[in-house]
Amino acid sequence: ETGVTQSPTHLIKTRGQQVTLRCSSQSGHNTVSWYQQALGQGPQFIFQYYREEENGRGNFPPRFSGLQFPNYSSELNVNALELDDSALYLCASSVQQRPEAFFGQGTRLTVV
Amino acid sequence: DQQVKQNSPSLSVQEGRISILNCDYTNSMFDYFLWYKKYPAEGPTFLISISSIKDKNEDGRFTVFLNKSAKHLSLHIVPSQPGDSAVYFCAAILMNRDDKIIFGKGTRLHILP
């Protein structure tokens, strides 16, 4: 059984650029969520995808968008990057109606 | 407005003793509470959960206690081991909506030799 994997592990982007982060869900999981973790904070919910549709969204602007594919893998896209977008981005997969979510190792994004 | 609060940023415990990590919450509608452990440069690892209708759940060295009237939960680790040194996040979830997990800011646990 493979766990949640994310790519890339580290990324440096310039303010105003766009970025795409990728995630492969754990085998058997049909739901994927994305979280942003700033330094010294707990992870903050960005959005969740279930059956390829957005199933809920946290307090993040529309320039944060996502996709879920038929194989349950997912992408997080961020447009018009700002310095405050620098953070660890975590993908988590789960099964609908189960509370436990399992996280990947994260992508460390630095915006300069 | 923080719905899940971990008021101790750090905690040091002697190896072999009990570690107790505390967490408070404000929303009485939460369905489940979870604890995650995080090492540097890794994602959070799920440890244990408890349903809001229970008051205790145990898994090996880890026990979580829930006091709904006080809106308080705690994670007990017995006995503490060096590999337990990590950041521990308390989290809560409302099921049947977007299932988003709401995390506290974390408590860094240091296990002393």
Side-chain angles (χ1 to χ4, degrees), chain A residues 35 37 41-43 45 48 55-56 88 90 97-101 103-105, chain B residues 32 34 36 38 42-44 46 49 89 93 95-96 98-101 103-105:
Chain A
Y35 290 78
Q37 186 180 11
Q41 303 293 316
F45 177 76
Q48 182 184 88
N55 188 44
L88 180 68
L90 295 161
Q97 297 306 304
R98 292 292 308 162
E100 308 88 1
F103 286 81
Q105 81 280 17
Chain B
Y32 281 89
L34 309 97
Y36 283 84
K38 187 178 184 301
E42 293 185 14
F46 171 73
S49 65
F89 290 100
I93 187 169
M95 302 297 292
N96 298 318
D98 51 25
D99 295 353
K100 72 177 179 184
I101 301 175
F103 286 86
K105 290 187 175 183

PDB file of all heavy atoms in Angstrom, chain A residues 35 37 41-43 45 48 55-56 88 90 97-101 103-105, chain B residues 32 34 36 38 42-44 46 49 89 93 95-96 98-101 103-105:
ATOM      1  N   TYR A  35      -3.827  21.646   2.464  1.00  0.00           N
ATOM      2  CA  TYR A  35      -3.649  22.516   3.621  1.00  0.00           C
ATOM      3  C   TYR A  35      -2.391  23.361   3.416  1.00  0.00           C
ATOM      4  O   TYR A  35      -1.429  22.929   2.777  1.00  0.00           O
ATOM      5  CB  TYR A  35      -3.469  21.690   4.907  1.00  0.00           C
ATOM      6  CG  TYR A  35      -4.721  20.968   5.348  1.00  0.00           C
ATOM      7  CD1 TYR A  35      -5.127  19.792   4.734  1.00  0.00           C
ATOM      8  CD2 TYR A  35      -5.502  21.477   6.381  1.00  0.00           C
ATOM      9  CE1 TYR A  35      -6.276  19.139   5.132  1.00  0.00           C
ATOM     10  CE2 TYR A  35      -6.662  20.823   6.798  1.00  0.00           C
ATOM     11  CZ  TYR A  35      -7.036  19.664   6.159  1.00  0.00           C
ATOM     12  OH  TYR A  35      -8.190  19.017   6.557  1.00  0.00           O
ATOM     13  N   GLN A  37       0.532  25.302   5.677  1.00  0.00           N
ATOM     14  CA  GLN A  37       1.077  25.454   7.016  1.00  0.00           C
ATOM     15  C   GLN A  37       2.158  26.523   7.013  1.00  0.00           C
ATOM     16  O   GLN A  37       3.244  26.320   6.451  1.00  0.00           O
ATOM     17  CB  GLN A  37       1.647  24.145   7.550  1.00  0.00           C
ATOM     18  CG  GLN A  37       2.086  24.267   9.008  1.00  0.00           C
ATOM     19  CD  GLN A  37       2.654  22.998   9.584  1.00  0.00           C
ATOM     20  OE1 GLN A  37       2.935  22.038   8.869  1.00  0.00           O
ATOM     21  NE2 GLN A  37       2.821  22.968  10.878  1.00  0.00           N
ATOM     22  N   GLN A  41       2.601  27.697  12.847  1.00  0.00           N
ATOM     23  CA  GLN A  41       1.142  27.543  12.872  1.00  0.00           C
ATOM     24  C   GLN A  41       0.751  26.102  12.574  1.00  0.00           C
ATOM     25  O   GLN A  41       1.556  25.320  12.073  1.00  0.00           O
ATOM     26  CB  GLN A  41       0.498  28.457  11.815  1.00  0.00           C
ATOM     27  CG  GLN A  41       0.833  29.922  11.947  1.00  0.00           C
ATOM     28  CD  GLN A  41       0.258  30.535  13.194  1.00  0.00           C
ATOM     29  OE1 GLN A  41      -0.895  30.295  13.547  1.00  0.00           O
ATOM     30  NE2 GLN A  41       1.076  31.309  13.896  1.00  0.00           N
ATOM     31  N   GLY A  42      -0.502  25.780  12.861  1.00  0.00           N
ATOM     32  CA  GLY A  42      -1.026  24.504  12.428  1.00  0.00           C
ATOM     33  C   GLY A  42      -1.472  24.590  10.978  1.00  0.00           C
ATOM     34  O   GLY A  42      -1.651  25.688  10.437  1.00  0.00           O
ATOM     35  N   PRO A  43      -1.642  23.455  10.328  1.00  0.00           N
ATOM     36  CA  PRO A  43      -2.129  23.471   8.940  1.00  0.00           C
ATOM     37  C   PRO A  43      -3.504  24.140   8.838  1.00  0.00           C
ATOM     38  O   PRO A  43      -4.358  23.945   9.699  1.00  0.00           O
ATOM     39  CB  PRO A  43      -2.209  21.984   8.587  1.00  0.00           C
ATOM     40  CG  PRO A  43      -1.239  21.312   9.510  1.00  0.00           C
ATOM     41  CD  PRO A  43      -1.313  22.081  10.784  1.00  0.00           C
ATOM     42  N   PHE A  45      -6.879  24.653   6.346  1.00  0.00           N
ATOM     43  CA  PHE A  45      -7.607  24.006   5.253  1.00  0.00           C
ATOM     44  C   PHE A  45      -7.759  24.957   4.082  1.00  0.00           C
ATOM     45  O   PHE A  45      -8.246  26.087   4.245  1.00  0.00           O
ATOM     46  CB  PHE A  45      -8.966  23.569   5.780  1.00  0.00           C
ATOM     47  CG  PHE A  45      -9.902  22.949   4.781  1.00  0.00           C
ATOM     48  CD1 PHE A  45      -9.703  21.644   4.355  1.00  0.00           C
ATOM     49  CD2 PHE A  45     -10.969  23.662   4.290  1.00  0.00           C
ATOM     50  CE1 PHE A  45     -10.577  21.059   3.452  1.00  0.00           C
ATOM     51  CE2 PHE A  45     -11.862  23.091   3.393  1.00  0.00           C
ATOM     52  CZ  PHE A  45     -11.661  21.779   2.972  1.00  0.00           C
ATOM     53  N   GLN A  48     -11.134  20.860  -0.411  1.00  0.00           N
ATOM     54  CA  GLN A  48     -11.224  19.413  -0.493  1.00  0.00           C
ATOM     55  C   GLN A  48     -11.881  19.027  -1.819  1.00  0.00           C
ATOM     56  O   GLN A  48     -12.782  19.724  -2.298  1.00  0.00           O
ATOM     57  CB  GLN A  48     -12.060  18.859   0.657  1.00  0.00           C
ATOM     58  CG  GLN A  48     -12.172  17.342   0.668  1.00  0.00           C
ATOM     59  CD  GLN A  48     -13.097  16.844   1.769  1.00  0.00           C
ATOM     60  OE1 GLN A  48     -14.302  16.726   1.589  1.00  0.00           O
ATOM     61  NE2 GLN A  48     -12.526  16.535   2.914  1.00  0.00           N
ATOM     62  N   ASN A  55     -15.388  20.071  -2.774  1.00  0.00           N
ATOM     63  CA  ASN A  55     -16.363  19.639  -1.783  1.00  0.00           C
ATOM     64  C   ASN A  55     -16.368  20.542  -0.558  1.00  0.00           C
ATOM     65  O   ASN A  55     -17.063  20.269   0.414  1.00  0.00           O
ATOM     66  CB  ASN A  55     -16.042  18.207  -1.357  1.00  0.00           C
ATOM     67  CG  ASN A  55     -17.103  17.599  -0.487  1.00  0.00           C
ATOM     68  OD1 ASN A  55     -18.292  17.726  -0.760  1.00  0.00           O
ATOM     69  ND2 ASN A  55     -16.692  16.937   0.590  1.00  0.00           N
ATOM     70  N   GLY A  56     -15.610  21.596  -0.593  1.00  0.00           N
ATOM     71  CA  GLY A  56     -15.523  22.493   0.548  1.00  0.00           C
ATOM     72  C   GLY A  56     -14.300  23.354   0.388  1.00  0.00           C
ATOM     73  O   GLY A  56     -13.314  22.938  -0.228  1.00  0.00           O
ATOM     74  N   LEU A  88       4.519  25.667   3.843  1.00  0.00           N
ATOM     75  CA  LEU A  88       4.517  24.238   3.537  1.00  0.00           C
ATOM     76  C   LEU A  88       3.104  23.882   3.079  1.00  0.00           C
ATOM     77  O   LEU A  88       2.137  24.168   3.791  1.00  0.00           O
ATOM     78  CB  LEU A  88       4.905  23.433   4.777  1.00  0.00           C
ATOM     79  CG  LEU A  88       4.943  21.907   4.620  1.00  0.00           C
ATOM     80  CD1 LEU A  88       6.095  21.500   3.706  1.00  0.00           C
ATOM     81  CD2 LEU A  88       5.091  21.233   5.983  1.00  0.00           C
ATOM     82  N   LEU A  90       0.490  20.995   2.216  1.00  0.00           N
ATOM     83  CA  LEU A  90       0.272  19.589   2.552  1.00  0.00           C
ATOM     84  C   LEU A  90      -0.967  19.058   1.841  1.00  0.00           C
ATOM     85  O   LEU A  90      -2.003  19.709   1.796  1.00  0.00           O
ATOM     86  CB  LEU A  90       0.075  19.446   4.062  1.00  0.00           C
ATOM     87  CG  LEU A  90       1.281  19.789   4.925  1.00  0.00           C
ATOM     88  CD1 LEU A  90       0.861  20.068   6.363  1.00  0.00           C
ATOM     89  CD2 LEU A  90       2.296  18.654   4.897  1.00  0.00           C
ATOM     90  N   GLN A  97     -16.483  10.249   4.914  1.00  0.00           N
ATOM     91  CA  GLN A  97     -17.176   9.867   6.151  1.00  0.00           C
ATOM     92  C   GLN A  97     -16.258   9.170   7.154  1.00  0.00           C
ATOM     93  O   GLN A  97     -16.735   8.594   8.124  1.00  0.00           O
ATOM     94  CB  GLN A  97     -18.408   8.994   5.863  1.00  0.00           C
ATOM     95  CG  GLN A  97     -19.464   9.733   5.034  1.00  0.00           C
ATOM     96  CD  GLN A  97     -19.857  11.057   5.673  1.00  0.00           C
ATOM     97  OE1 GLN A  97     -20.271  11.102   6.825  1.00  0.00           O
ATOM     98  NE2 GLN A  97     -19.703  12.152   4.942  1.00  0.00           N
ATOM     99  N   ARG A  98     -14.948   9.199   6.913  1.00  0.00           N
ATOM    100  CA  ARG A  98     -13.993   8.753   7.917  1.00  0.00           C
ATOM    101  C   ARG A  98     -13.217   9.973   8.366  1.00  0.00           C
ATOM    102  O   ARG A  98     -12.786  10.776   7.537  1.00  0.00           O
ATOM    103  CB  ARG A  98     -13.036   7.704   7.349  1.00  0.00           C
ATOM    104  CG  ARG A  98     -13.686   6.373   7.011  1.00  0.00           C
ATOM    105  CD  ARG A  98     -14.139   5.653   8.253  1.00  0.00           C
ATOM    106  NE  ARG A  98     -13.079   5.541   9.249  1.00  0.00           N
ATOM    107  CZ  ARG A  98     -13.282   5.266  10.534  1.00  0.00           C
ATOM    108  NH1 ARG A  98     -14.511   5.076  10.983  1.00  0.00           N
ATOM    109  NH2 ARG A  98     -12.254   5.184  11.371  1.00  0.00           N
ATOM    110  N   PRO A  99     -12.979  10.154   9.673  1.00  0.00           N
ATOM    111  CA  PRO A  99     -12.347  11.393  10.122  1.00  0.00           C
ATOM    112  C   PRO A  99     -10.838  11.456   9.859  1.00  0.00           C
ATOM    113  O   PRO A  99     -10.289  12.540   9.729  1.00  0.00           O
ATOM    114  CB  PRO A  99     -12.622  11.398  11.628  1.00  0.00           C
ATOM    115  CG  PRO A  99     -12.783   9.948  11.988  1.00  0.00           C
ATOM    116  CD  PRO A  99     -13.426   9.314  10.784  1.00  0.00           C
ATOM    117  N   GLU A 100     -10.177  10.299   9.786  1.00  0.00           N
ATOM    118  CA  GLU A 100      -8.715  10.325   9.682  1.00  0.00           C
ATOM    119  C   GLU A 100      -8.281  10.697   8.270  1.00  0.00           C
ATOM    120  O   GLU A 100      -8.777  10.145   7.292  1.00  0.00           O
ATOM    121  CB  GLU A 100      -8.107   8.956  10.022  1.00  0.00           C
ATOM    122  CG  GLU A 100      -8.557   8.358  11.335  1.00  0.00           C
ATOM    123  CD  GLU A 100      -9.827   7.520  11.199  1.00  0.00           C
ATOM    124  OE1 GLU A 100     -10.357   7.379  10.081  1.00  0.00           O
ATOM    125  OE2 GLU A 100     -10.285   7.003  12.228  1.00  0.00           O
ATOM    126  N   ALA A 101      -7.353  11.621   8.183  1.00  0.00           N
ATOM    127  CA  ALA A 101      -6.731  11.967   6.913  1.00  0.00           C
ATOM    128  C   ALA A 101      -5.247  11.679   7.032  1.00  0.00           C
ATOM    129  O   ALA A 101      -4.648  11.844   8.096  1.00  0.00           O
ATOM    130  CB  ALA A 101      -6.969  13.430   6.578  1.00  0.00           C
ATOM    131  N   PHE A 103      -1.436  12.366   5.529  1.00  0.00           N
ATOM    132  CA  PHE A 103      -0.726  13.453   4.867  1.00  0.00           C
ATOM    133  C   PHE A 103       0.502  12.986   4.111  1.00  0.00           C
ATOM    134  O   PHE A 103       1.170  12.028   4.524  1.00  0.00           O
ATOM    135  CB  PHE A 103      -0.303  14.502   5.894  1.00  0.00           C
ATOM    136  CG  PHE A 103      -1.439  15.348   6.397  1.00  0.00           C
ATOM    137  CD1 PHE A 103      -2.283  14.882   7.402  1.00  0.00           C
ATOM    138  CD2 PHE A 103      -1.673  16.608   5.859  1.00  0.00           C
ATOM    139  CE1 PHE A 103      -3.336  15.663   7.861  1.00  0.00           C
ATOM    140  CE2 PHE A 103      -2.719  17.393   6.325  1.00  0.00           C
ATOM    141  CZ  PHE A 103      -3.556  16.922   7.316  1.00  0.00           C
ATOM    142  N   GLY A 104       0.803  13.723   3.036  1.00  0.00           N
ATOM    143  CA  GLY A 104       2.077  13.579   2.372  1.00  0.00           C
ATOM    144  C   GLY A 104       3.148  14.360   3.121  1.00  0.00           C
ATOM    145  O   GLY A 104       2.879  14.996   4.144  1.00  0.00           O
ATOM    146  N   GLN A 105       4.357  14.336   2.568  1.00  0.00           N
ATOM    147  CA  GLN A 105       5.483  14.987   3.249  1.00  0.00           C
ATOM    148  C   GLN A 105       5.505  16.499   3.028  1.00  0.00           C
ATOM    149  O   GLN A 105       6.221  17.212   3.708  1.00  0.00           O
ATOM    150  CB  GLN A 105       6.820  14.380   2.781  1.00  0.00           C
ATOM    151  CG  GLN A 105       7.354  14.913   1.457  1.00  0.00           C
ATOM    152  CD  GLN A 105       6.700  14.280   0.240  1.00  0.00           C
ATOM    153  OE1 GLN A 105       5.636  13.657   0.321  1.00  0.00           O
ATOM    154  NE2 GLN A 105       7.338  14.435  -0.899  1.00  0.00           N
TER     155      GLN A 105
ATOM    156  N   TYR B  32     -15.415  14.634  15.824  1.00  0.00           N
ATOM    157  CA  TYR B  32     -14.236  13.833  16.139  1.00  0.00           C
ATOM    158  C   TYR B  32     -13.098  14.774  16.506  1.00  0.00           C
ATOM    159  O   TYR B  32     -13.027  15.912  16.031  1.00  0.00           O
ATOM    160  CB  TYR B  32     -13.792  12.992  14.932  1.00  0.00           C
ATOM    161  CG  TYR B  32     -14.606  11.747  14.698  1.00  0.00           C
ATOM    162  CD1 TYR B  32     -15.747  11.791  13.902  1.00  0.00           C
ATOM    163  CD2 TYR B  32     -14.240  10.525  15.253  1.00  0.00           C
ATOM    164  CE1 TYR B  32     -16.502  10.657  13.674  1.00  0.00           C
ATOM    165  CE2 TYR B  32     -14.991   9.381  15.023  1.00  0.00           C
ATOM    166  CZ  TYR B  32     -16.114   9.455  14.239  1.00  0.00           C
ATOM    167  OH  TYR B  32     -16.863   8.326  14.015  1.00  0.00           O
ATOM    168  N   LEU B  34      -8.726  14.598  16.786  1.00  0.00           N
ATOM    169  CA  LEU B  34      -7.602  13.800  16.328  1.00  0.00           C
ATOM    170  C   LEU B  34      -6.308  14.376  16.872  1.00  0.00           C
ATOM    171  O   LEU B  34      -6.216  15.575  17.152  1.00  0.00           O
ATOM    172  CB  LEU B  34      -7.534  13.801  14.789  1.00  0.00           C
ATOM    173  CG  LEU B  34      -8.817  13.456  14.021  1.00  0.00           C
ATOM    174  CD1 LEU B  34      -9.542  14.726  13.574  1.00  0.00           C
ATOM    175  CD2 LEU B  34      -8.499  12.623  12.797  1.00  0.00           C
ATOM    176  N   TYR B  36      -2.171  14.448  15.793  1.00  0.00           N
ATOM    177  CA  TYR B  36      -1.156  14.185  14.785  1.00  0.00           C
ATOM    178  C   TYR B  36       0.207  14.510  15.372  1.00  0.00           C
ATOM    179  O   TYR B  36       0.350  15.392  16.208  1.00  0.00           O
ATOM    180  CB  TYR B  36      -1.376  15.054  13.545  1.00  0.00           C
ATOM    181  CG  TYR B  36      -2.480  14.590  12.638  1.00  0.00           C
ATOM    182  CD1 TYR B  36      -3.807  14.927  12.885  1.00  0.00           C
ATOM    183  CD2 TYR B  36      -2.197  13.812  11.514  1.00  0.00           C
ATOM    184  CE1 TYR B  36      -4.827  14.496  12.046  1.00  0.00           C
ATOM    185  CE2 TYR B  36      -3.203  13.380  10.668  1.00  0.00           C
ATOM    186  CZ  TYR B  36      -4.514  13.726  10.938  1.00  0.00           C
ATOM    187  OH  TYR B  36      -5.519  13.304  10.104  1.00  0.00           O
ATOM    188  N   LYS B  38       4.263  15.403  14.212  1.00  0.00           N
ATOM    189  CA  LYS B  38       5.008  15.869  13.045  1.00  0.00           C
ATOM    190  C   LYS B  38       6.484  16.011  13.368  1.00  0.00           C
ATOM    191  O   LYS B  38       6.867  16.725  14.296  1.00  0.00           O
ATOM    192  CB  LYS B  38       4.449  17.211  12.558  1.00  0.00           C
ATOM    193  CG  LYS B  38       5.060  17.675  11.237  1.00  0.00           C
ATOM    194  CD  LYS B  38       4.441  18.966  10.774  1.00  0.00           C
ATOM    195  CE  LYS B  38       4.969  19.381   9.406  1.00  0.00           C
ATOM    196  NZ  LYS B  38       6.414  19.560   9.372  1.00  0.00           N
ATOM    197  N   GLU B  42       8.732  16.492   7.478  1.00  0.00           N
ATOM    198  CA  GLU B  42       7.769  15.447   7.156  1.00  0.00           C
ATOM    199  C   GLU B  42       6.358  15.991   7.310  1.00  0.00           C
ATOM    200  O   GLU B  42       6.140  16.998   7.986  1.00  0.00           O
ATOM    201  CB  GLU B  42       7.946  14.236   8.067  1.00  0.00           C
ATOM    202  CG  GLU B  42       9.244  13.491   7.857  1.00  0.00           C
ATOM    203  CD  GLU B  42       9.322  12.226   8.697  1.00  0.00           C
ATOM    204  OE1 GLU B  42       8.282  11.792   9.231  1.00  0.00           O
ATOM    205  OE2 GLU B  42      10.427  11.670   8.813  1.00  0.00           O
ATOM    206  N   GLY B  43       5.387  15.319   6.700  1.00  0.00           N
ATOM    207  CA  GLY B  43       4.003  15.693   6.916  1.00  0.00           C
ATOM    208  C   GLY B  43       3.507  15.165   8.250  1.00  0.00           C
ATOM    209  O   GLY B  43       4.137  14.295   8.863  1.00  0.00           O
ATOM    210  N   PRO B  44       2.375  15.674   8.735  1.00  0.00           N
ATOM    211  CA  PRO B  44       1.803  15.159   9.983  1.00  0.00           C
ATOM    212  C   PRO B  44       1.427  13.687   9.850  1.00  0.00           C
ATOM    213  O   PRO B  44       0.923  13.265   8.808  1.00  0.00           O
ATOM    214  CB  PRO B  44       0.557  16.027  10.183  1.00  0.00           C
ATOM    215  CG  PRO B  44       0.771  17.240   9.338  1.00  0.00           C
ATOM    216  CD  PRO B  44       1.591  16.784   8.183  1.00  0.00           C
ATOM    217  N   PHE B  46      -0.895  10.671  11.453  1.00  0.00           N
ATOM    218  CA  PHE B  46      -2.062  10.423  12.296  1.00  0.00           C
ATOM    219  C   PHE B  46      -1.692   9.486  13.449  1.00  0.00           C
ATOM    220  O   PHE B  46      -1.056   8.450  13.248  1.00  0.00           O
ATOM    221  CB  PHE B  46      -3.185   9.810  11.460  1.00  0.00           C
ATOM    222  CG  PHE B  46      -4.336   9.316  12.281  1.00  0.00           C
ATOM    223  CD1 PHE B  46      -5.207  10.203  12.884  1.00  0.00           C
ATOM    224  CD2 PHE B  46      -4.552   7.953  12.461  1.00  0.00           C
ATOM    225  CE1 PHE B  46      -6.265   9.756  13.650  1.00  0.00           C
ATOM    226  CE2 PHE B  46      -5.598   7.491  13.221  1.00  0.00           C
ATOM    227  CZ  PHE B  46      -6.463   8.382  13.819  1.00  0.00           C
ATOM    228  N   SER B  49      -7.578   8.995  17.262  1.00  0.00           N
ATOM    229  CA  SER B  49      -8.760   9.857  17.226  1.00  0.00           C
ATOM    230  C   SER B  49      -9.747   9.418  18.304  1.00  0.00           C
ATOM    231  O   SER B  49      -9.624   8.336  18.880  1.00  0.00           O
ATOM    232  CB  SER B  49      -9.430   9.796  15.848  1.00  0.00           C
ATOM    233  OG  SER B  49      -9.935   8.488  15.591  1.00  0.00           O
ATOM    234  N   PHE B  89       0.016  17.972  17.097  1.00  0.00           N
ATOM    235  CA  PHE B  89      -1.114  18.826  16.763  1.00  0.00           C
ATOM    236  C   PHE B  89      -2.413  18.174  17.225  1.00  0.00           C
ATOM    237  O   PHE B  89      -2.676  17.006  16.926  1.00  0.00           O
ATOM    238  CB  PHE B  89      -1.194  19.057  15.247  1.00  0.00           C
ATOM    239  CG  PHE B  89      -0.089  19.921  14.703  1.00  0.00           C
ATOM    240  CD1 PHE B  89       1.011  19.366  14.086  1.00  0.00           C
ATOM    241  CD2 PHE B  89      -0.161  21.302  14.814  1.00  0.00           C
ATOM    242  CE1 PHE B  89       2.035  20.160  13.582  1.00  0.00           C
ATOM    243  CE2 PHE B  89       0.847  22.112  14.319  1.00  0.00           C
ATOM    244  CZ  PHE B  89       1.946  21.535  13.706  1.00  0.00           C
ATOM    245  N   ILE B  93     -12.836  17.919  13.849  1.00  0.00           N
ATOM    246  CA  ILE B  93     -13.503  17.825  12.556  1.00  0.00           C
ATOM    247  C   ILE B  93     -15.024  17.770  12.726  1.00  0.00           C
ATOM    248  O   ILE B  93     -15.524  17.146  13.663  1.00  0.00           O
ATOM    249  CB  ILE B  93     -12.977  16.595  11.776  1.00  0.00           C
ATOM    250  CG1 ILE B  93     -13.524  16.551  10.350  1.00  0.00           C
ATOM    251  CG2 ILE B  93     -13.301  15.298  12.515  1.00  0.00           C
ATOM    252  CD1 ILE B  93     -12.828  15.508   9.477  1.00  0.00           C
ATOM    253  N   MET B  95     -18.046  16.371  10.784  1.00  0.00           N
ATOM    254  CA  MET B  95     -18.371  15.463   9.683  1.00  0.00           C
ATOM    255  C   MET B  95     -19.654  15.929   8.995  1.00  0.00           C
ATOM    256  O   MET B  95     -20.371  16.783   9.493  1.00  0.00           O
ATOM    257  CB  MET B  95     -18.547  14.037  10.225  1.00  0.00           C
ATOM    258  CG  MET B  95     -17.345  13.488  10.959  1.00  0.00           C
ATOM    259  SD  MET B  95     -15.866  13.327   9.937  1.00  0.00           S
ATOM    260  CE  MET B  95     -16.340  12.029   8.823  1.00  0.00           C
ATOM    261  N   ASN B  96     -19.914  15.329   7.824  1.00  0.00           N
ATOM    262  CA  ASN B  96     -21.126  15.617   7.056  1.00  0.00           C
ATOM    263  C   ASN B  96     -21.157  17.030   6.498  1.00  0.00           C
ATOM    264  O   ASN B  96     -22.190  17.493   6.099  1.00  0.00           O
ATOM    265  CB  ASN B  96     -22.399  15.381   7.891  1.00  0.00           C
ATOM    266  CG  ASN B  96     -22.504  13.933   8.308  1.00  0.00           C
ATOM    267  OD1 ASN B  96     -22.243  13.030   7.532  1.00  0.00           O
ATOM    268  ND2 ASN B  96     -22.850  13.724   9.560  1.00  0.00           N
ATOM    269  N   ASP B  98     -17.764  19.690   4.923  1.00  0.00           N
ATOM    270  CA  ASP B  98     -16.615  19.525   4.047  1.00  0.00           C
ATOM    271  C   ASP B  98     -15.520  18.706   4.699  1.00  0.00           C
ATOM    272  O   ASP B  98     -14.460  18.534   4.123  1.00  0.00           O
ATOM    273  CB  ASP B  98     -16.061  20.880   3.598  1.00  0.00           C
ATOM    274  CG  ASP B  98     -15.806  21.818   4.770  1.00  0.00           C
ATOM    275  OD1 ASP B  98     -15.597  21.310   5.897  1.00  0.00           O
ATOM    276  OD2 ASP B  98     -15.816  23.034   4.571  1.00  0.00           O
ATOM    277  N   ASP B  99     -15.777  18.203   5.890  1.00  0.00           N
ATOM    278  CA  ASP B  99     -14.825  17.345   6.599  1.00  0.00           C
ATOM    279  C   ASP B  99     -13.471  18.019   6.792  1.00  0.00           C
ATOM    280  O   ASP B  99     -12.457  17.327   6.867  1.00  0.00           O
ATOM    281  CB  ASP B  99     -14.613  16.014   5.847  1.00  0.00           C
ATOM    282  CG  ASP B  99     -15.898  15.183   5.811  1.00  0.00           C
ATOM    283  OD1 ASP B  99     -16.872  15.583   6.465  1.00  0.00           O
ATOM    284  OD2 ASP B  99     -15.907  14.158   5.120  1.00  0.00           O
ATOM    285  N   LYS B 100     -13.439  19.336   6.822  1.00  0.00           N
ATOM    286  CA  LYS B 100     -12.139  19.972   7.011  1.00  0.00           C
ATOM    287  C   LYS B 100     -11.674  19.749   8.442  1.00  0.00           C
ATOM    288  O   LYS B 100     -12.461  19.777   9.390  1.00  0.00           O
ATOM    289  CB  LYS B 100     -12.192  21.459   6.693  1.00  0.00           C
ATOM    290  CG  LYS B 100     -12.921  22.319   7.702  1.00  0.00           C
ATOM    291  CD  LYS B 100     -12.826  23.773   7.287  1.00  0.00           C
ATOM    292  CE  LYS B 100     -13.571  24.669   8.268  1.00  0.00           C
ATOM    293  NZ  LYS B 100     -13.564  26.080   7.812  1.00  0.00           N
ATOM    294  N   ILE B 101     -10.383  19.526   8.552  1.00  0.00           N
ATOM    295  CA  ILE B 101      -9.773  19.330   9.862  1.00  0.00           C
ATOM    296  C   ILE B 101      -9.263  20.680  10.335  1.00  0.00           C
ATOM    297  O   ILE B 101      -8.560  21.371   9.610  1.00  0.00           O
ATOM    298  CB  ILE B 101      -8.631  18.298   9.790  1.00  0.00           C
ATOM    299  CG1 ILE B 101      -9.157  16.953   9.281  1.00  0.00           C
ATOM    300  CG2 ILE B 101      -7.987  18.141  11.158  1.00  0.00           C
ATOM    301  CD1 ILE B 101      -8.062  15.916   9.066  1.00  0.00           C
ATOM    302  N   PHE B 103      -6.919  22.550  12.933  1.00  0.00           N
ATOM    303  CA  PHE B 103      -5.753  22.230  13.749  1.00  0.00           C
ATOM    304  C   PHE B 103      -5.462  23.316  14.773  1.00  0.00           C
ATOM    305  O   PHE B 103      -5.705  24.504  14.530  1.00  0.00           O
ATOM    306  CB  PHE B 103      -4.510  22.084  12.866  1.00  0.00           C
ATOM    307  CG  PHE B 103      -4.460  20.820  12.051  1.00  0.00           C
ATOM    308  CD1 PHE B 103      -5.084  20.759  10.818  1.00  0.00           C
ATOM    309  CD2 PHE B 103      -3.773  19.711  12.515  1.00  0.00           C
ATOM    310  CE1 PHE B 103      -5.040  19.598  10.063  1.00  0.00           C
ATOM    311  CE2 PHE B 103      -3.710  18.553  11.762  1.00  0.00           C
ATOM    312  CZ  PHE B 103      -4.345  18.494  10.530  1.00  0.00           C
ATOM    313  N   GLY B 104      -4.891  22.895  15.899  1.00  0.00           N
ATOM    314  CA  GLY B 104      -4.266  23.833  16.814  1.00  0.00           C
ATOM    315  C   GLY B 104      -2.889  24.206  16.312  1.00  0.00           C
ATOM    316  O   GLY B 104      -2.447  23.719  15.262  1.00  0.00           O
ATOM    317  N   LYS B 105      -2.181  25.049  17.072  1.00  0.00           N
ATOM    318  CA  LYS B 105      -0.868  25.510  16.625  1.00  0.00           C
ATOM    319  C   LYS B 105       0.246  24.523  16.945  1.00  0.00           C
ATOM    320  O   LYS B 105       1.374  24.689  16.481  1.00  0.00           O
ATOM    321  CB  LYS B 105      -0.548  26.862  17.266  1.00  0.00           C
ATOM    322  CG  LYS B 105      -1.400  27.999  16.734  1.00  0.00           C
ATOM    323  CD  LYS B 105      -0.914  29.332  17.270  1.00  0.00           C
ATOM    324  CE  LYS B 105      -1.701  30.482  16.644  1.00  0.00           C
ATOM    325  NZ  LYS B 105      -1.206  31.802  17.092  1.00  0.00           N
TER     326      LYS B 105
END
